[in-house]
Amino acid sequence: MSQKILVTGASSGFGRGTVLALARQGHQVVATAETWPQVRELRAEADRANVDLQVIKLNLLDPIDLDHAGSFDPDVLVLNAGVMEGGSIVDIPMQRVRESFDVNLFGHLQLVQSIVPKMVARKSGKVAWTSSMGGILVVPFLGAYCATKHAIEAVAGSRKAELEPHGVKVATINPGVFGTGFNDTGAESYEQWYDASSAVVPMPDFSESLAGQADPQEMIDAMVEVIPASECV
């Protein structure tokens, strides 16, 4: 059965593979990307793949973008966008910490508050949030990122209890270390601000932990199964 599905963070990685696969299955997919060049590139990819995919711009720090995305009324809302900032908790700039929460948590919460009331009103719908193994475990030098994912787990758990009596299902998806490029960019993000001569805690070499990342297609296949499923596991 075809469903209307809105997916954030669809310009690359899990999101990109998932929206294309869901569209191939006949779902009415609205995919969001952060910048206009990403929007145009994803539209071109959908054309090359011969799938019907609606792509809109959504920068989760932009109130106008959030208002536009919030005007949609999907059967399933997939909160997939995210950023990873590396750095020790004592050294990482507070701006980076705040931006991580603004993107990973608060921007998505605003989207939820725009879309989920429509689901509650009709007594049906589903919200799936891409969390992380970092929402269950803590990874040194990724404390800010893990903190946002722990917050997502708390919000999703509360939301599940609050919404399911009203016909709205809630699920979280917790990927590990997959080779989408997300972990690699997160591991080098600190280079924008890090100064070894003044750092309180020296940054380690992440190269070993990034070796042998899993094939992202495995996670994409799981997301394509979980997102439209009638039951949440």
Side-chain angles (χ1 to χ4, degrees), residues 41-57:
E41 204 284 324
L42 185 53
R43 287 173 179 168
E45 176 64 19
D47 287 342
R48 290 191 294 270
N50 196 30
V51 296
D52 186 10
L53 182 68
Q54 183 176 359
V55 186
I56 65 170
K57 178 179 177 291

Side-chain angles (χ1 to χ4, degrees), residues 116-179:
V116 170
K118 304 168 195 175
M119 297 180 177
V120 172
R122 65 173 180 266
K123 304 290 187 188
S124 69
K126 183 175 182 178
V127 181
W129 206 330
T130 303
S131 180
S132 169
M133 290 302 293
I136 302 169
L137 309 172
V138 176
V139 182
F141 298 96
L142 291 177
Y145 172 75
C146 290
T148 68
K149 296 300 184 176
H150 275 69
I152 285 170
E153 294 291 331
V155 168
S158 177
R159 191 168 56 200
K160 181 180 177 69
E162 295 160 0
L163 294 180
E164 289 197 344
H166 302 280
V168 180
K169 297 180 173 63
V170 177
T172 56
I173 301 166
N174 296 75
V177 183
F178 287 85

Side-chain angles (χ1 to χ4, degrees), residues 4 12 36-37 55 67-68 73 78 87 101 105 109-111 161 186 195-196 213 229:
K4 294 181 290 184
S12 62
W36 283 115
V55 186
D67 284 346
H68 179 232
D73 187 12
V78 183
F101 274 91
L105 183 68
L109 276 179
Q110 185 170 336
L111 197 57
D195 183 351
Q213 297 182 66

Side-chain angles (χ1 to χ4, degrees), residues 82-101 104 139-148 181-195 199 201-206 209-210:
V83 294
M84 177 190 288
E85 292 286 346
S88 74
I89 289 298
V90 73
D91 287 311
I92 187 171
M94 284 303 301
Q95 179 186 351
R96 291 291 194 252
V97 178
R98 291 190 177 99
E99 287 176 353
S100 295
F101 274 91
N104 295 357
V139 182
F141 298 96
L142 291 177
Y145 172 75
C146 290
T148 68
F182 181 78
N183 298 303
D184 303 79
T185 55
E188 68 174 313
S189 60
Y190 72 92
E191 294 179 6
Q192 296 292 100
W193 54 263
Y194 180 72
D195 183 351
V201 180
M203 289 293 293
D205 181 357
F206 284 112
S209 62
L210 293 172

